[in-house]
Amino acid sequence: MRSGVAPGGSAARPGSGGLIALSTASTYPESTATSFEMAARLGYDGVEIMVWTDPVSQDPQALRRLRDYHGIPILAVHAPCLLLTQRVWGTDPWAKLQRARSVAEALEAPTVVVHPPFRWQRDYAREFVAGIDRMAGETDVRFAVENMFPLRARGREVSAYAPDWSPVDDEYRHVTLDLSHTSVSRSDAMAMADRLGDRLAHIHMADGTGLAKDEHLVPGRGTQPCAALLERLAVNGFDGTVVVEINTRRAESRDQREADLAEALAFTRLNLAAPAGVPSAT
C-alpha cells in the first residue's frame, strides 16, 4: 500500500493504523469544504469524503485543492450508495465504484467504503461479492464493504440489502464496521470484529441506543462498546483508519457542532491509545 505525503512534507501514513479521520457526513448540512476546515482546526488526522449531492464532494480536483490548502490527507472515499445519492455519478452501480476507485487512487486515499446492494438491484446484487473481489484484485485501494441493518416494524425484520445487510459471512477481503449500524441491527459489535479478524479494515465510530433508526451519536453517549472496541483494536495493532461519523444536524450552532466533533475525537483518540504494558495480539 502506498503512503501519501501531506502538503508541507508531513507523512500522512494512510493505512498505517492509529489514524482518526472525520467523515464529511459529520458536518452536514454544512459543506464538504467546511469539513476540511473543521478537521484541520480540531486536529483530526484526515478526512473521509462522503460523495453526495455537494458538487465539491464529486470533484477530485476540488478535493485535491482542499487537501493541499488545509494540509490534511484524504484517507477514504465513501462511494455514493445512499438513496439520496442514487443518481450521483450516474445510475450504474459498477460505474460508481470504478469512479470511486479512480478518485481514491488520484487522491492517494487507501480505502473506498461501499454499502451492499439494495435488494431491488438484482443484477448488481447477484454479482456483487465476486465483482468486489475482482475489483479489489486490480488496485491497491481497499474496497471495504460496510455492515448495514435490517428494517424492523411490528415485530418483524426485513432486509433491504442483498446478499445480506451483514458482510460477516460473505467473502469480502475488507470490511467497514459501523457501530451505529450494529446498534440498529442489535448486533454484538465485539463479536463481529472478532469474526472479521484481519478483514476488519475500517471503522465508522459512532454510537446508538438500540433504537430502530440510525442515530450516529457521539461515541460514549449510547450503549455500543465504543471504548472497548477501540482498546481492542489498539492492542491488536489495527492498521486501518477509524472515522468519526456522527450526526450533528440538530446542532443549534457551529460552536455546538464543533464541540461534538471535538468530543468525538477526544474519546476516540483516548481509547485508541494502546494500554501501557499490554502486548499486541499475535
Side-chain angles (χ1 to χ4, degrees):
M1 188 77 61
R2 63 182 180 276
S3 293
V5 177
S10 60
R13 300 183 296 110
S16 63
L19 297 181
I20 304 171
L22 177 65
S23 168
T24 60
S26 296
T27 65
Y28 181 84
E30 298 201 57
S31 67
T32 301
T34 299
S35 295
F36 276 85
E37 175 192 339
M38 289 185 176
R41 184 166 61 255
L42 294 174
Y44 280 84
D45 301 314
V47 296
E48 174 176 301
I49 303 299
M50 173 65 78
V51 180
W52 62 298
T53 54
D54 181 351
V56 171
S57 74
Q58 305 171 31
D59 183 346
Q61 298 301 323
L63 294 172
R64 180 179 288 108
R65 288 193 293 270
L66 286 168
R67 179 198 67 183
D68 294 349
Y69 178 79
H70 291 286
I72 188 165
I74 296 169
L75 299 176
V77 174
H78 195 310
C81 306
L82 306 174
L83 285 173
L84 176 67
T85 59
Q86 284 296 288
R87 296 189 177 277
V88 172
W89 288 351
T91 57
D92 180 345
W94 289 117
K96 289 173 182 275
L97 296 190
Q98 292 284 358
R99 189 160 178 181
R101 182 187 75 180
S102 296
V103 170
E105 290 173 340
L107 298 174
E108 297 184 289
T111 302
V112 167
V113 178
V114 57
H115 292 179
F118 291 112
R119 186 168 293 279
W120 59 82
Q121 296 174 300
R122 294 181 181 178
D123 293 339
Y124 178 46
R126 189 179 302 114
E127 301 295 329
F128 185 69
V129 177
I132 286 290
D133 186 66
R134 181 177 62 253
M135 292 180 68
E138 298 170 349
T139 178
D140 287 341
V141 173
R142 297 181 291 194
F143 285 91
V145 181
E146 186 171 357
N147 64 304
M148 299 305 291
F149 46 84
L151 305 177
R152 297 199 309 267
R154 298 179 181 177
R156 298 181 57 195
E157 288 191 355
V158 178
S159 177
Y161 301 95
D164 195 4
W165 58 264
S166 171
V168 172
D169 292 328
D170 292 301
E171 296 180 358
Y172 303 118
R173 299 188 192 189
H174 301 108
V175 171
T176 296
L177 182 59
D178 184 305
L179 272 74
S180 180
H181 295 175
T182 58
S183 175
V184 182
S185 65
R186 298 178 180 173
S187 303
D188 184 330
M190 302 294 281
M192 289 183 75
D194 286 344
R195 289 186 61 192
L196 287 168
D198 291 342
R199 296 191 298 143
L200 180 57
H202 203 69
I203 304 293
H204 279 170
M205 180 50 53
D207 213 334
T209 60
L211 298 180
K213 65 177 183 178
D214 198 8
E215 298 174 276
H216 282 277
L217 302 177
V218 171
R221 296 185 185 177
T223 58
Q224 291 302 289
C226 298
L229 177 65
L230 290 167
E231 290 169 3
R232 183 175 297 181
L233 293 175
V235 170
N236 290 346
F238 178 68
D239 69 349
T241 299
V242 178
V243 179
V244 169
E245 189 183 75
I246 63 172
N247 184 347
T248 65
R249 280 174 286 183
R250 294 186 178 180
E252 296 179 356
S253 65
R254 176 171 289 192
D255 286 346
Q256 182 182 342
R257 175 170 289 112
E258 289 198 5
D260 285 348
L261 296 175
E263 179 183 333
L265 175 60
F267 178 99
T268 304
R269 201 174 293 287
L270 174 66
N271 289 288
L272 192 59
V278 179
S280 296
T282 57

